[in-house]
Amino acid sequence: MSSIQDSQVKYATATDAFLEQQLADLPQLPSQLIDAMRYALLSQGKRVRPLLIGLVSEVLDVPLHKALPLMAAIECIHAYSLVHDDLPAMDDDDLRRGQPTCHKKFPEGIAILVGDALQTMAFDIIMHAENLDAAKKVRCAKVLTRAAGFHGMCGGQAIDLDATDVSIDLAQLTLLHNLKTGALLNACIDFVVELSHDIAPAHKAALQQYSKAVGLAFQVQDDILDVTSDSVTLGKPSGSDVDLNKSTFPALLGLKEAQLYCETLLADALTACAQLPYNTQGLQDFAKYIIQRKH
Amino acid sequence: MSSIQDSQVKYATATDAFLEQQLADLPQLPSQLIDAMRYALLSQGKRVRPLLIGLVSEVLDVPLHKALPLMAAIECIHAYSLVHDDLPAMDDDDLRRGQPTCHKKFPEGIAILVGDALQTMAFDIIMHAENLDAAKKVRCAKVLTRAAGFHGMCGGQAIDLDATDVSIDLAQLTLLHNLKTGALLNACIDFVVELSHDIAPAHKAALQQYSKAVGLAFQVQDDILDVTSDSVTLGKPSGSDVDLNKSTFPALLGLKEAQLYCETLLADALTACAQLPYNTQGLQDFAKYIIQRKH
């Protein structure tokens, strides 16, 4: 079995090529919008979500050509959310992945449209996926609307905005992140479950337990890195949560407890893997990667 | 046959009730996002697009319960585009339909999220439509992605942004409006064509000729009203195009020529109606309403 780094490169490369083709297929318009979309979409993200979709596809024996449009679609949603979250009226960030944020590189109005058009593109990609029948397209699009919209990511970001300068408790912080970050990671699992031929309810539940633990660990680790890392390693300003007076896991729990919480979530994820009658080495490595990453 | 005003009330009422139910079905979150979504979505718009869908549905004998989710979905897209277009980084408008714009009533970050979540809701509504099979859902969602995204509305708005303070010619202005406004109006026709059992290619082409003419007339009339009407009648600041130094049809053609152009487009729309073997009185009245409206 290949290492997690090999898998990351494999699925990131495939996703990027697919997205490049999507942009190449767009009509020519007298506007800088397409350049700004390319900037936001293809600026060397970690491609964590395509990696997770790829690893779960290996486990459930779903071929890459079926999973690829969903990897691309979820990256469109993720990229749009970063562009909008970075806007002055939201988190007001100037740097992302070591580069100027979209609204710093392009006019702010164009950055807003980048997010809008990338969201539409996500659904466009699913609807035009060549290797999925209509019923599967609808089921996958349902997964995405619930993960990306009010029920998920947008709802979480709204709670986050309203919670700035307000102290919230651990339950609210957990809800916030389950929606803001967890929902899209859960969608990675749900996509592949929809694409797989059949899967026992208990195994589906174990996969969802896995993604819930990993999704939360992802955010706890993000909060930890914001405190412990530096801007160069992160590619974005460190300490920005403190500057914005945001509630974080280290702020609520203390740094050491937050790190222990990450370990507990990792153990939950590994327990879920142990309940699956498949080779889950890739998923186990992914969970470890999430809490051990440095940026 | 009922008057255009009766039809407008009928379809607006049905659409609003459907959208109210959508909002009522959302989960409770500790955030003002849902209030802001309701504000943007249910503040007495003209519901021109549901009216057009309703009139074409009457012509092609598509029952209201099939068309209603599409009326609601397209209003979600329209409402999101108004919220984002009004933002300070875009048109920077303070008034919309006589009320404070969404980002004036709520924090600007919440207004951005309102647009994002309403776009997702549009696709969510289509995917969950009770009376459409999966194949029709996919075909309608394809119509919407192409009308709302880079190929359509977002592309048009991007050209509009880039054209501020720059003079563009009539061909570019027409392209801009065909994308920014025309694409969603065309989608109203295309939705109903997808829902209808079968329609001759020549009749489909006549309907598209109709919607193209009406869509452009809609925008030319908008530009004319911006010059000739007052802020109270419009419910938004008149003269804002001039203030923003935007290219408009009256600016490029002169007011009288722009009014004549509207009449020519109306004649095109009526010619298209004459090619259809249906009772098109409603569509004819709609075309006249579009160029005779005062706000």
Side-chain angles (χ1 to χ4, degrees), chain B residues 35-98:
Chain B
D35 298 327
M37 287 167 74
R38 178 173 286 109
Y39 184 79
L41 199 52
L42 291 161
S43 50
Q44 308 195 310
K46 295 187 289 288
R47 303 291 189 221
V48 166
R49 291 153 197 81
L51 172 59
L52 181 55
I53 292 174
L55 294 171
V56 183
S57 295
E58 290 174 18
V59 167
L60 296 184
D61 209 17
V62 169
L64 180 57
H65 67 267
K66 289 199 176 187
L68 189 51
L70 300 166
M71 295 175 178
I74 210 154
E75 283 300 288
C76 289
I77 296 289
H78 179 56
Y80 117 63
S81 77
L82 297 183
V83 172
H84 280 188
D85 286 3
D86 286 338
L87 287 168
M90 302 267 240
D91 292 351
D92 195 17
D93 279 323
D94 293 349
L95 276 181
R96 165 75 61 185
R97 298 167 184 163

Side-chain angles (χ1 to χ4, degrees), chain A residues 162-179:
Chain A
D162 288 349
T164 302
D165 293 327
V166 177
S167 69
I168 60 175
D169 64 18
L170 191 61
Q172 286 176 301
L173 186 65
T174 303
L175 170 67
L176 187 168
H177 288 304
N178 279 344
L179 298 177

Side-chain angles (χ1 to χ4, degrees), chain A residues 265-291:
Chain A
L265 291 167
L266 172 61
D268 286 352
L270 298 182
T271 301
C273 287
Q275 293 164 25
L276 291 165
Y278 311 109
N279 180 343
T280 59
Q281 190 60 51
L283 294 181
Q284 294 174 50
D285 291 346
F286 179 83
K288 290 173 193 161
Y289 156 74
I290 287 299
I291 73 155

Side-chain angles (χ1 to χ4, degrees), chain A residues 12 30 49 66 71 91 94 105 111 114 118 142 216 218 226 272 283 285:
Chain A
R49 292 153 196 82
K66 289 200 176 187
M71 295 175 178
D91 292 349
D94 293 349
K105 181 84 175 179
V114 164
L118 287 179
K142 282 181 178 176
L216 197 50
F218 186 87
D226 192 68
L283 294 181
D285 291 346

Side-chain angles (χ1 to χ4, degrees), chain B residues 91-289:
Chain B
D91 292 351
D92 195 17
D93 279 323
D94 293 349
L95 276 181
R96 165 75 61 185
R97 298 167 184 163
Q99 303 290 328
T101 45
C102 193
H103 68 274
K104 286 285 167 187
K105 182 85 174 177
F106 295 90
E108 188 180 333
I110 290 291
I112 295 168
L113 284 171
V114 164
D116 294 345
L118 288 179
Q119 177 172 186
T120 324
M121 184 183 269
F123 292 102
D124 192 70
I125 287 171
I126 294 177
M127 290 303 124
H128 290 85
E130 283 178 15
N131 298 297
L132 299 183
D133 63 30
K136 282 200 163 61
K137 288 177 183 177
V138 169
R139 291 210 297 273
C140 288
K142 281 182 179 176
V143 166
L144 193 57
T145 60
R146 295 299 160 105
F150 184 90
H151 299 77
M153 190 183 75
C154 285
Q157 178 67 4
I159 298 174
D160 200 7
L161 273 186
D162 288 349
T164 303
D165 293 326
V166 177
S167 67
I168 59 174
D169 64 20
L170 191 62
Q172 286 176 301
L173 186 64
T174 303
L175 170 67
L176 187 169
H177 289 304
N178 280 342
L179 297 178
K180 182 175 170 174
T181 314
L184 274 199
L185 288 168
N186 290 342
C188 295
I189 304 279
D190 292 341
F191 277 156
V192 187
V193 167
E194 294 297 350
L195 297 185
S196 70
H197 282 299
D198 64 321
I199 174 169
H203 300 155
K204 183 175 170 179
L207 280 169
Q208 287 169 334
Q209 180 192 331
Y210 170 86
S211 72
K212 197 169 176 187
V214 168
L216 197 51
F218 185 87
Q219 191 57 49
V220 178
Q221 180 66 7
D222 240 32
D223 285 358
I224 291 170
L225 289 172
D226 192 69
V227 181
T228 60
S229 192
D230 58 86
S231 301
V232 173
T233 307
L234 285 180
K236 60 185 179 184
S238 69
S240 63
D241 293 336
V242 176
D243 293 348
L244 284 171
N245 202 14
K246 284 197 173 183
S247 295
T248 66
F249 289 99
L252 284 184
L253 298 172
L255 181 58
K256 199 173 175 77
E257 278 297 316
Q259 286 165 331
L260 283 174
Y261 187 36
C262 250
E263 295 291 340
T264 306
L265 290 166
L266 172 61
D268 286 352
L270 298 180
T271 302
C273 288
Q275 293 164 25
L276 290 165
Y278 310 110
N279 180 342
T280 60
Q281 190 60 50
L283 293 181
Q284 294 173 51
D285 291 346
F286 179 82
K288 289 171 193 161
Y289 156 75

Side-chain angles (χ1 to χ4, degrees), chain A residues 116-286:
Chain A
D116 294 344
L118 287 179
Q119 178 173 186
T120 325
M121 185 183 270
F123 292 102
D124 192 69
I125 287 171
I126 294 177
M127 291 303 125
H128 290 85
E130 283 178 15
N131 298 298
L132 299 183
D133 62 31
K136 283 202 163 60
K137 287 177 183 177
V138 169
R139 291 210 298 272
C140 288
K142 282 181 178 176
V143 167
L144 193 57
T145 59
R146 296 298 160 108
F150 183 90
H151 299 77
M153 190 182 75
C154 285
Q157 177 67 4
I159 298 173
D160 200 8
L161 274 186
D162 288 349
T164 302
D165 293 327
V166 177
S167 69
I168 60 175
D169 64 18
L170 191 61
Q172 286 176 301
L173 186 65
T174 303
L175 170 67
L176 187 168
H177 288 304
N178 279 344
L179 298 177
K180 182 175 171 175
T181 314
L184 273 198
L185 288 168
N186 290 342
C188 295
I189 304 278
D190 293 341
F191 277 156
V192 186
V193 167
E194 295 297 350
L195 297 185
S196 70
H197 282 298
D198 63 321
I199 174 169
H203 300 155
K204 184 176 169 178
L207 280 169
Q208 286 170 334
Q209 180 192 332
Y210 169 87
S211 73
K212 197 169 175 187
V214 168
L216 197 50
F218 186 87
Q219 190 57 49
V220 179
Q221 180 67 7
D222 239 33
D223 285 358
I224 291 171
L225 289 172
D226 192 68
V227 182
T228 61
S229 191
D230 58 84
S231 301
V232 173
T233 307
L234 285 180
K236 60 185 179 183
S238 68
S240 62
D241 293 336
V242 177
D243 294 347
L244 285 170
N245 201 14
K246 285 197 172 182
S247 294
T248 66
F249 289 98
L252 285 184
L253 298 172
L255 181 58
K256 200 174 174 75
E257 279 296 318
Q259 287 165 330
L260 283 174
Y261 187 35
C262 249
E263 295 291 340
T264 306
L265 291 167
L266 172 61
D268 286 352
L270 298 182
T271 301
C273 287
Q275 293 164 25
L276 291 165
Y278 311 109
N279 180 343
T280 59
Q281 190 60 51
L283 294 181
Q284 294 174 50
D285 291 346
F286 179 83

